[in-house]
């Protein structure tokens, strides 16, 4: 069983929902990332979304865009991110890791080369925000062969027929984008999200994660009551930005936010 | 050169999913897919609609001032030597560049779709001005994203946009030029997708933009083809156009694709020279990748990060290029070359002094290469150069290179 499947199965047994934090690899400097990942798991994270820095993160808001710029200022490349995953895996063989980023950094390595290296490093899934299913046939084939889940986004603007085809092509979990906008946008509308998730549920048994607009314990809790996973990014990355000059404090401070959300979700 | 059948096949592109060979496509986040599908279906029905086409043609005639002349630059040709140089005078269009052909067309689509707000990205400011202009005319709200570096270089156009009622948003992220303006416009669109129409200014981006921008710009090539037949009695031996994103070039080239004897040269911005690495010439020195919604040639590093570009002309200062050019390069139908900053500036001065026509710095790249090319050709041959814009907006740049404050 894949780590992602295994994780959701264990959570279901325990009657809990997945807390899925996102951080950008190498932000604000490469040495911070692995300790930060471990600290987030310790604080209650179930799956880790690790952002691959890209120079032109079109779908992200200013918070994650600046995170990419900080990481790139130290030259964090996709291969460095895979090294971080391998290092993380030396002491954690259970927590799933999903890489999240843009197609071009993968394309430049070549799909097969990437898949082989990513699998060897211990990557479980990949989400390329600018690679919709229509352009993914080769990509899916290569990732499936390497047993890497290809995770797709669904959005408020996705119509019923597309929901069906995205659900057929994706694996691991579905990432539902809660609002029209970039990462770090305004608060989400829980009722509207719930309505859409019901529609998605008709087409898949895959776990449904919800991201964009989750910024505090209350919104994490609200989303955990309607979805299988709560994805939180910009609020963490914002804290990292504030602590960019005191990086030794980052794991503890970010974990504190995670722990708060965990407690709220489990309450 | 591809065979006749291959040329005919090139004319039919893109395919249903927006591909030109391996290039093009629709590489965007999920939130925008619905909007692009809606745009595609609206456009496909409008392009078959005689009423829409008549409205577009009427605006081109009476608002833009088309057809633009094809001017035989006799003195320039004589002094330069070799082939005769004809200039397709897009600089004489309303707003001073070819950009308006596209914004007229897209604003008509926006109106049909009932979108009250348009957004645009701009480099040199010509597309921003052309967008602000049509927005003013149709009473639409207009927001233009522009890299802060370009806001500085193109202060005159920034003020023009403001006078036209547009909001100009300076973009401070990344390299602070055209690519970052495009990122920011995409972010706006994804947030305001219900109310907003995004007028992309070049024949690049996710499907259907490369196709629809090309279709609107093809008026350049269709006119030039007919004018060549009328004035010279035959088709030109070569076409030359500058290529940033490549909309003026594809507009000129496309109607000639099946005329296998007409050679096509796209001129990229060579900046300080290709060898310096400080340029904006992805077709000459880049490789294929994915950016801004399409697969195409890009300037990128070994890790797939997009590189900063350099060109004296803001409108060419872009690390990608329209996907149809990528395919025309690979198939060998068009050739892509470069002109450096210095060559473009020299051509700017030459054309101004010899013909009394001041070209945009973008178009000066095409003029620079055409002058070189002409000297390798016979006097009874002729070249059509797309003079895509006028140079008024660049006077500050040229003056400051001369050490003069105007």
């Amino acid at each position: 069983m894949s780590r992602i499947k295994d994780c959701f199965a264990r959570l279901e047994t325990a009657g809990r929902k997945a807390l899925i934090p996102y951080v950008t690899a190498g932000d604000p400097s490469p040495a911070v990332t692995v300790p930060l990942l471990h600290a987030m798991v310790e604080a209650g994270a179930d799956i880790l979304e690790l952002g691959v820095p890209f120079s032109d993160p079109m779908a992200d808001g200013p918070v994650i865009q600046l995170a990419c710029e900080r990481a790139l200022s130290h030259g964090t490349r996709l291969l460095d991110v895979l090294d971080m995953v391998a290092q993380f895996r030396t002491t954690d063989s259970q927590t799933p890791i999903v890489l999240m980023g843009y197609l071009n950094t993968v394309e430049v390595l070549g799909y097969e080369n990437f898949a082989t290296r990513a699998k060897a490093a211990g990557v479980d899934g990949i989400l390329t925000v600018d690679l919709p299913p229509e352009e993914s046939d080769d990509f899916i084939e290569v990732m499936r062969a390497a047993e890497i889940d290809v995770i797709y986004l669904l959005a408020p603007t996705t119509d019923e027929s597309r929901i069906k085809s995205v659900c057929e092509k994706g694996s691991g979990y579905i990432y539902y984008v809660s609002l029209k906008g970039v990462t770090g946008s305004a608060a989400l509308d829980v009722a509207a999200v719930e309505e859409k998730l019901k529609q998605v549920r008709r087409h898949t048994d895959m776990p449904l994660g919800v991201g964009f607009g989750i910024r505090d314990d209350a919104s994490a809790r609200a989303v955990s009551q309607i979805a299988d996973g709560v994805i939180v990014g910009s609020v963490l990355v914002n804290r990292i930005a504030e602590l960019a000059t005191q990086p030794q404090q980052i794991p503890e401070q970010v974990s504190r936010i995670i722990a708060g959300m965990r407690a709220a979700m489990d309450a | 050169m591809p065979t006749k059948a291959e040329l005919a096949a090139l004319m039919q592109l893109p395919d249903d999913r927006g591909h030109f060979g391996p290039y093009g496509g629709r590489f965007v986040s999920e939130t925008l897919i619905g909007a692009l599908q809606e745009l595609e279906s609206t456009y496909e029905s409008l392009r078959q609609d005689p009423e829409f086409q008549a409205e577009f043609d009427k605006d081109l005639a009476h608002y833009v001032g088309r057809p633009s002349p094809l001017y035989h630059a006799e003195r320039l040709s004589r002094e330069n030597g070799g082939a005769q140089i004809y200039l397709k005078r897009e600089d004489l269009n309303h707003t001073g560049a070819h950009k308006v052909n596209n914004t007229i067309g897209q604003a008509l689509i926006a109106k049909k779709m009932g979108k009250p707000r348009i957004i645009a990205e701009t480099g040199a400011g010509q597309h921003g001005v052309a967008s602000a202009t049509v927005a003013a005319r149709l009473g639409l709200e207009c927001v233009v994203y522009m890299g802060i570096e370009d806001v500085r270089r193109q202060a005159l156009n920034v003020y023009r946009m403001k006078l036209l009622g547009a909001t100009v948003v300076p973009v401070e992220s990344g390299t602070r030029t055209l690519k970052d303006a495009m990122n920011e416009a995409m972010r706006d669109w994804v947030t305001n997708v219900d109310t907003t129409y995004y007028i992309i200014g070049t024949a690049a981006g996710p499907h259907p933009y490369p196709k629809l921008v090309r279709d609107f710009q093809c008026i350049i090539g269709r006119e030039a083809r007919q004018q060549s037949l009328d004035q010279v009695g035959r088709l030109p031996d070569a076409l030359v156009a500058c290529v940033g994103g490549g909309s003026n070039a594809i507009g000129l080239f496309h109607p000639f694709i099946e005329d296998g004897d007409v050679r096509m040269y796209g001129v990229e911005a060579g900046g300080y020279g290709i060898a310096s690495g400080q340029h904006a010439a992805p077709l000459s020195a880049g490789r294929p990748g994915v950016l801004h919604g399409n697969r195409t040639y890009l300037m990128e590093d070994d890790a797939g990060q997009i590189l900063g570009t350099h060109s004296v002309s803001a409108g060419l200062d872009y690390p990608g290029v329209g996907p149809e050019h990528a395919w025309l390069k690979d198939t060998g139908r068009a050739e892509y070359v470069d002109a450096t900053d210095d060559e473009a500036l020299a051509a700017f001065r030459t054309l101004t002094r010899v013909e009394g026509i001041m070209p945009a710095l973008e178009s000066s790249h095409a003029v620079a290469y055409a002058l070189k090319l002409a000297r390798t050709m016979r006097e009874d041959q002729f070249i059509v150069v797309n003079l895509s814009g006028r140079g008024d907006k660049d006077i500050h740049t040229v003056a400051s290179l001369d050490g003069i404050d105007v």
Side-chain angles (χ1 to χ4, degrees), chain B residues 59-99:
Chain B
D59 282 354
L60 290 182
H62 302 294
Y63 190 69
V64 178
R66 302 202 71 92
S68 67
L70 181 68
Y71 168 70
H72 183 191
E74 287 181 73
R75 186 170 173 223
L76 180 72
S77 305
R78 198 164 54 240
E79 294 203 355
N80 183 59
Q84 302 305 304
I85 293 172
Y86 284 72
L87 304 174
K88 180 60 177 162
R89 298 291 308 276
E90 292 299 302
D91 60 315
L92 294 178
N93 291 341
H94 179 44
T95 73
H98 73 291
K99 292 292 187 188

Short mmCIF file of all heavy atoms in Angstrom, two decimals, chain B residues 59-99:
data_model
loop_
_atom_site.label_atom_id
_atom_site.label_comp_id
_atom_site.label_asym_id
_atom_site.label_seq_id
_atom_site.Cartn_x
_atom_site.Cartn_y
_atom_site.Cartn_z
N ASP B 59 -14.05 48.33 -37.80
CA ASP B 59 -13.18 49.01 -36.83
C ASP B 59 -11.77 49.15 -37.35
O ASP B 59 -11.12 50.18 -37.14
CB ASP B 59 -13.17 48.23 -35.50
CG ASP B 59 -14.43 48.50 -34.67
OD1 ASP B 59 -15.22 49.37 -35.09
OD2 ASP B 59 -14.60 47.84 -33.64
N LEU B 60 -11.27 48.11 -38.02
CA LEU B 60 -9.91 48.20 -38.56
C LEU B 60 -9.82 49.32 -39.59
O LEU B 60 -8.83 50.06 -39.66
CB LEU B 60 -9.49 46.87 -39.20
CG LEU B 60 -9.23 45.70 -38.25
CD1 LEU B 60 -8.78 44.47 -39.04
CD2 LEU B 60 -8.19 46.04 -37.18
N ALA B 61 -10.86 49.47 -40.40
CA ALA B 61 -10.84 50.49 -41.45
C ALA B 61 -10.98 51.90 -40.86
O ALA B 61 -10.20 52.80 -41.17
CB ALA B 61 -11.94 50.22 -42.47
N HIS B 62 -11.98 52.08 -40.01
CA HIS B 62 -12.36 53.44 -39.63
C HIS B 62 -11.80 53.89 -38.30
O HIS B 62 -11.77 55.08 -38.01
CB HIS B 62 -13.89 53.58 -39.66
CG HIS B 62 -14.47 53.27 -40.99
ND1 HIS B 62 -14.23 54.04 -42.11
CD2 HIS B 62 -15.23 52.22 -41.41
CE1 HIS B 62 -14.83 53.50 -43.15
NE2 HIS B 62 -15.44 52.40 -42.76
N TYR B 63 -11.37 52.96 -37.46
CA TYR B 63 -10.82 53.34 -36.15
C TYR B 63 -9.30 53.20 -36.15
O TYR B 63 -8.59 54.09 -35.69
CB TYR B 63 -11.44 52.47 -35.05
CG TYR B 63 -11.13 52.95 -33.65
CD1 TYR B 63 -11.66 54.15 -33.16
CD2 TYR B 63 -10.30 52.21 -32.82
CE1 TYR B 63 -11.36 54.59 -31.88
CE2 TYR B 63 -10.01 52.65 -31.53
CZ TYR B 63 -10.54 53.83 -31.07
OH TYR B 63 -10.26 54.27 -29.80
N VAL B 64 -8.81 52.11 -36.72
CA VAL B 64 -7.36 51.89 -36.78
C VAL B 64 -6.74 52.62 -37.97
O VAL B 64 -5.60 53.08 -37.90
CB VAL B 64 -7.05 50.37 -36.86
CG1 VAL B 64 -5.56 50.12 -36.96
CG2 VAL B 64 -7.63 49.64 -35.65
N GLY B 65 -7.51 52.73 -39.06
CA GLY B 65 -6.99 53.39 -40.26
C GLY B 65 -6.36 52.44 -41.26
O GLY B 65 -5.42 52.79 -41.97
N ARG B 66 -6.85 51.22 -41.31
CA ARG B 66 -6.30 50.23 -42.24
C ARG B 66 -6.93 50.39 -43.63
O ARG B 66 -8.02 50.92 -43.73
CB ARG B 66 -6.56 48.81 -41.73
CG ARG B 66 -5.98 48.55 -40.35
CD ARG B 66 -5.77 47.07 -40.13
NE ARG B 66 -4.66 46.63 -40.94
CZ ARG B 66 -3.40 46.57 -40.52
NH1 ARG B 66 -3.08 46.93 -39.30
NH2 ARG B 66 -2.45 46.18 -41.34
N PRO B 67 -6.29 49.88 -44.67
CA PRO B 67 -5.02 49.16 -44.64
C PRO B 67 -3.84 50.10 -44.38
O PRO B 67 -3.87 51.26 -44.79
CB PRO B 67 -4.92 48.57 -46.05
CG PRO B 67 -5.76 49.46 -46.91
CD PRO B 67 -6.88 49.92 -46.03
N SER B 68 -2.84 49.58 -43.72
CA SER B 68 -1.61 50.36 -43.54
C SER B 68 -0.80 50.27 -44.83
O SER B 68 -0.85 49.26 -45.52
CB SER B 68 -0.81 49.82 -42.35
OG SER B 68 -0.31 48.53 -42.63
N PRO B 69 -0.09 51.35 -45.16
CA PRO B 69 0.65 51.34 -46.44
C PRO B 69 1.78 50.32 -46.46
O PRO B 69 2.33 49.97 -45.41
CB PRO B 69 1.24 52.76 -46.50
CG PRO B 69 0.54 53.57 -45.48
CD PRO B 69 0.06 52.62 -44.43
N LEU B 70 2.10 49.87 -47.67
CA LEU B 70 3.37 49.17 -47.90
C LEU B 70 4.25 50.16 -48.64
O LEU B 70 3.98 50.53 -49.78
CB LEU B 70 3.15 47.91 -48.74
CG LEU B 70 4.41 47.09 -49.01
CD1 LEU B 70 4.92 46.44 -47.73
CD2 LEU B 70 4.14 46.01 -50.06
N TYR B 71 5.28 50.63 -47.97
CA TYR B 71 6.07 51.75 -48.47
C TYR B 71 7.42 51.28 -48.99
O TYR B 71 8.17 50.60 -48.29
CB TYR B 71 6.27 52.76 -47.33
CG TYR B 71 7.30 53.83 -47.61
CD1 TYR B 71 7.06 54.84 -48.55
CD2 TYR B 71 8.52 53.84 -46.94
CE1 TYR B 71 8.01 55.82 -48.81
CE2 TYR B 71 9.48 54.81 -47.19
CZ TYR B 71 9.22 55.80 -48.14
OH TYR B 71 10.16 56.75 -48.39
N HIS B 72 7.73 51.64 -50.23
CA HIS B 72 9.02 51.31 -50.81
C HIS B 72 10.05 52.32 -50.31
O HIS B 72 10.01 53.49 -50.69
CB HIS B 72 8.93 51.36 -52.34
CG HIS B 72 10.20 50.95 -53.02
ND1 HIS B 72 10.42 51.12 -54.36
CD2 HIS B 72 11.34 50.38 -52.54
CE1 HIS B 72 11.63 50.67 -54.68
NE2 HIS B 72 12.20 50.22 -53.59
N ALA B 73 10.95 51.88 -49.46
CA ALA B 73 11.97 52.77 -48.90
C ALA B 73 13.10 52.87 -49.92
O ALA B 73 14.14 52.22 -49.80
CB ALA B 73 12.46 52.24 -47.56
N GLU B 74 12.90 53.73 -50.93
CA GLU B 74 13.82 53.76 -52.08
C GLU B 74 15.19 54.29 -51.70
O GLU B 74 16.22 53.76 -52.10
CB GLU B 74 13.22 54.63 -53.20
CG GLU B 74 12.06 53.96 -53.90
CD GLU B 74 11.50 54.82 -55.02
OE1 GLU B 74 12.18 54.93 -56.06
OE2 GLU B 74 10.40 55.39 -54.84
N ARG B 75 15.18 55.36 -50.91
CA ARG B 75 16.48 55.96 -50.58
C ARG B 75 17.28 55.01 -49.69
O ARG B 75 18.48 54.80 -49.89
CB ARG B 75 16.27 57.31 -49.89
CG ARG B 75 17.57 58.02 -49.67
CD ARG B 75 17.43 59.46 -49.19
NE ARG B 75 18.74 59.96 -48.87
CZ ARG B 75 19.05 60.68 -47.81
NH1 ARG B 75 18.09 61.05 -46.97
NH2 ARG B 75 20.28 61.05 -47.59
N LEU B 76 16.60 54.42 -48.73
CA LEU B 76 17.25 53.46 -47.83
C LEU B 76 17.81 52.28 -48.65
O LEU B 76 18.95 51.86 -48.45
CB LEU B 76 16.24 52.95 -46.79
CG LEU B 76 16.78 51.93 -45.79
CD1 LEU B 76 17.73 52.60 -44.79
CD2 LEU B 76 15.64 51.25 -45.03
N SER B 77 16.99 51.78 -49.58
CA SER B 77 17.41 50.63 -50.39
C SER B 77 18.65 51.00 -51.22
O SER B 77 19.60 50.22 -51.31
CB SER B 77 16.29 50.20 -51.34
OG SER B 77 15.10 49.93 -50.62
N ARG B 78 18.62 52.20 -51.79
CA ARG B 78 19.74 52.64 -52.64
C ARG B 78 21.01 52.79 -51.81
O ARG B 78 22.06 52.30 -52.18
CB ARG B 78 19.35 53.98 -53.29
CG ARG B 78 20.17 54.36 -54.51
CD ARG B 78 19.50 55.46 -55.32
NE ARG B 78 19.19 56.65 -54.52
CZ ARG B 78 17.96 57.15 -54.36
NH1 ARG B 78 16.91 56.58 -54.94
NH2 ARG B 78 17.76 58.22 -53.61
N GLU B 79 20.91 53.46 -50.68
CA GLU B 79 22.11 53.70 -49.87
C GLU B 79 22.65 52.41 -49.26
O GLU B 79 23.85 52.26 -49.07
CB GLU B 79 21.81 54.73 -48.77
CG GLU B 79 21.51 56.09 -49.36
CD GLU B 79 21.77 57.24 -48.39
OE1 GLU B 79 22.09 56.96 -47.21
OE2 GLU B 79 21.66 58.39 -48.83
N ASN B 80 21.73 51.52 -48.94
CA ASN B 80 22.15 50.26 -48.31
C ASN B 80 22.75 49.29 -49.33
O ASN B 80 23.68 48.56 -49.05
CB ASN B 80 20.95 49.63 -47.61
CG ASN B 80 21.30 48.37 -46.86
OD1 ASN B 80 22.15 48.39 -45.96
ND2 ASN B 80 20.70 47.25 -47.22
N GLY B 81 22.15 49.30 -50.53
CA GLY B 81 22.59 48.37 -51.57
C GLY B 81 21.88 47.04 -51.47
O GLY B 81 21.41 46.64 -50.41
N GLY B 82 21.80 46.36 -52.62
CA GLY B 82 21.16 45.05 -52.64
C GLY B 82 19.65 45.15 -52.82
O GLY B 82 19.15 46.03 -53.54
N ALA B 83 18.92 44.26 -52.16
CA ALA B 83 17.48 44.12 -52.38
C ALA B 83 16.73 45.39 -52.00
O ALA B 83 17.17 46.18 -51.16
CB ALA B 83 16.95 42.94 -51.60
N GLN B 84 15.57 45.56 -52.64
CA GLN B 84 14.66 46.67 -52.32
C GLN B 84 13.97 46.39 -50.98
O GLN B 84 13.56 45.26 -50.73
CB GLN B 84 13.60 46.84 -53.41
CG GLN B 84 14.18 47.07 -54.80
CD GLN B 84 15.15 48.25 -54.81
OE1 GLN B 84 14.79 49.37 -54.44
NE2 GLN B 84 16.40 47.99 -55.22
N ILE B 85 13.86 47.44 -50.17
CA ILE B 85 13.23 47.27 -48.87
C ILE B 85 11.87 47.97 -48.87
O ILE B 85 11.77 49.16 -49.19
CB ILE B 85 14.14 47.83 -47.75
CG1 ILE B 85 15.40 46.94 -47.66
CG2 ILE B 85 13.40 47.86 -46.41
CD1 ILE B 85 16.46 47.48 -46.73
N TYR B 86 10.84 47.21 -48.55
CA TYR B 86 9.49 47.74 -48.39
C TYR B 86 9.11 47.65 -46.92
O TYR B 86 9.36 46.63 -46.28
CB TYR B 86 8.50 46.93 -49.24
CG TYR B 86 8.55 47.24 -50.71
CD1 TYR B 86 9.62 46.81 -51.50
CD2 TYR B 86 7.51 47.96 -51.33
CE1 TYR B 86 9.66 47.10 -52.86
CE2 TYR B 86 7.54 48.25 -52.68
CZ TYR B 86 8.62 47.82 -53.45
OH TYR B 86 8.66 48.10 -54.79
N LEU B 87 8.50 48.71 -46.43
CA LEU B 87 8.10 48.74 -45.02
C LEU B 87 6.59 48.61 -44.89
O LEU B 87 5.85 49.40 -45.49
CB LEU B 87 8.55 50.06 -44.37
CG LEU B 87 10.04 50.39 -44.46
CD1 LEU B 87 10.29 51.80 -43.92
CD2 LEU B 87 10.88 49.36 -43.72
N LYS B 88 6.16 47.63 -44.11
CA LYS B 88 4.73 47.52 -43.82
C LYS B 88 4.48 48.42 -42.62
O LYS B 88 4.96 48.16 -41.51
CB LYS B 88 4.37 46.05 -43.53
CG LYS B 88 2.90 45.82 -43.22
CD LYS B 88 1.96 46.24 -44.34
CE LYS B 88 0.51 45.91 -44.01
NZ LYS B 88 -0.42 46.67 -44.88
N ARG B 89 3.70 49.49 -42.89
CA ARG B 89 3.67 50.61 -41.95
C ARG B 89 2.64 50.42 -40.83
O ARG B 89 1.70 51.21 -40.69
CB ARG B 89 3.41 51.91 -42.71
CG ARG B 89 4.50 52.28 -43.74
CD ARG B 89 5.81 52.68 -43.07
NE ARG B 89 5.65 53.71 -42.07
CZ ARG B 89 5.62 55.03 -42.33
NH1 ARG B 89 5.73 55.47 -43.57
NH2 ARG B 89 5.49 55.90 -41.35
N GLU B 90 2.87 49.44 -39.97
CA GLU B 90 2.00 49.27 -38.80
C GLU B 90 2.17 50.42 -37.81
O GLU B 90 1.33 50.65 -36.94
CB GLU B 90 2.26 47.93 -38.13
CG GLU B 90 1.85 46.72 -38.96
CD GLU B 90 0.37 46.70 -39.26
OE1 GLU B 90 -0.43 46.70 -38.31
OE2 GLU B 90 0.01 46.69 -40.46
N ASP B 91 3.28 51.14 -37.96
CA ASP B 91 3.50 52.31 -37.08
C ASP B 91 2.48 53.40 -37.33
O ASP B 91 2.30 54.29 -36.49
CB ASP B 91 4.93 52.85 -37.29
CG ASP B 91 5.17 53.31 -38.73
OD1 ASP B 91 4.77 52.57 -39.66
OD2 ASP B 91 5.75 54.39 -38.93
N LEU B 92 1.81 53.35 -38.49
CA LEU B 92 0.81 54.39 -38.79
C LEU B 92 -0.58 54.06 -38.25
O LEU B 92 -1.50 54.87 -38.36
CB LEU B 92 0.73 54.61 -40.31
CG LEU B 92 2.01 55.19 -40.92
CD1 LEU B 92 1.86 55.33 -42.43
CD2 LEU B 92 2.34 56.55 -40.30
N ASN B 93 -0.73 52.88 -37.66
CA ASN B 93 -2.02 52.55 -37.05
C ASN B 93 -2.33 53.51 -35.91
O ASN B 93 -1.42 54.02 -35.25
CB ASN B 93 -1.99 51.15 -36.42
CG ASN B 93 -1.90 50.04 -37.46
OD1 ASN B 93 -2.21 50.25 -38.62
ND2 ASN B 93 -1.48 48.88 -37.01
N HIS B 94 -3.62 53.67 -35.64
CA HIS B 94 -4.04 54.36 -34.42
C HIS B 94 -3.33 53.71 -33.23
O HIS B 94 -3.26 52.48 -33.16
CB HIS B 94 -5.56 54.24 -34.27
CG HIS B 94 -6.09 54.90 -33.04
ND1 HIS B 94 -5.66 56.14 -32.62
CD2 HIS B 94 -7.01 54.49 -32.13
CE1 HIS B 94 -6.29 56.46 -31.50
NE2 HIS B 94 -7.11 55.47 -31.18
N THR B 95 -2.81 54.52 -32.34
CA THR B 95 -2.01 54.15 -31.16
C THR B 95 -0.57 53.76 -31.51
O THR B 95 0.23 53.49 -30.64
CB THR B 95 -2.63 53.06 -30.24
OG1 THR B 95 -2.54 51.79 -30.89
CG2 THR B 95 -4.05 53.36 -29.87
N GLY B 96 -0.24 53.72 -32.80
CA GLY B 96 1.17 53.68 -33.16
C GLY B 96 1.85 52.34 -33.24
O GLY B 96 3.08 52.28 -33.26
N ALA B 97 1.09 51.26 -33.29
CA ALA B 97 1.72 49.94 -33.42
C ALA B 97 0.69 48.92 -33.88
O ALA B 97 -0.51 49.20 -33.92
CB ALA B 97 2.34 49.50 -32.10
N HIS B 98 1.18 47.72 -34.20
CA HIS B 98 0.30 46.64 -34.64
C HIS B 98 -0.60 46.15 -33.52
O HIS B 98 -1.59 45.47 -33.77
CB HIS B 98 1.13 45.47 -35.16
CG HIS B 98 1.82 44.71 -34.07
ND1 HIS B 98 2.86 45.24 -33.34
CD2 HIS B 98 1.59 43.48 -33.56
CE1 HIS B 98 3.24 44.36 -32.43
NE2 HIS B 98 2.51 43.28 -32.54
N LYS B 99 -0.26 46.44 -32.27
CA LYS B 99 -0.96 45.85 -31.13
C LYS B 99 -2.47 46.08 -31.18
O LYS B 99 -3.25 45.24 -30.72
CB LYS B 99 -0.42 46.44 -29.82
CG LYS B 99 1.02 46.03 -29.51
CD LYS B 99 1.13 44.56 -29.19
CE LYS B 99 2.52 44.17 -28.70
NZ LYS B 99 2.65 42.70 -28.58
#
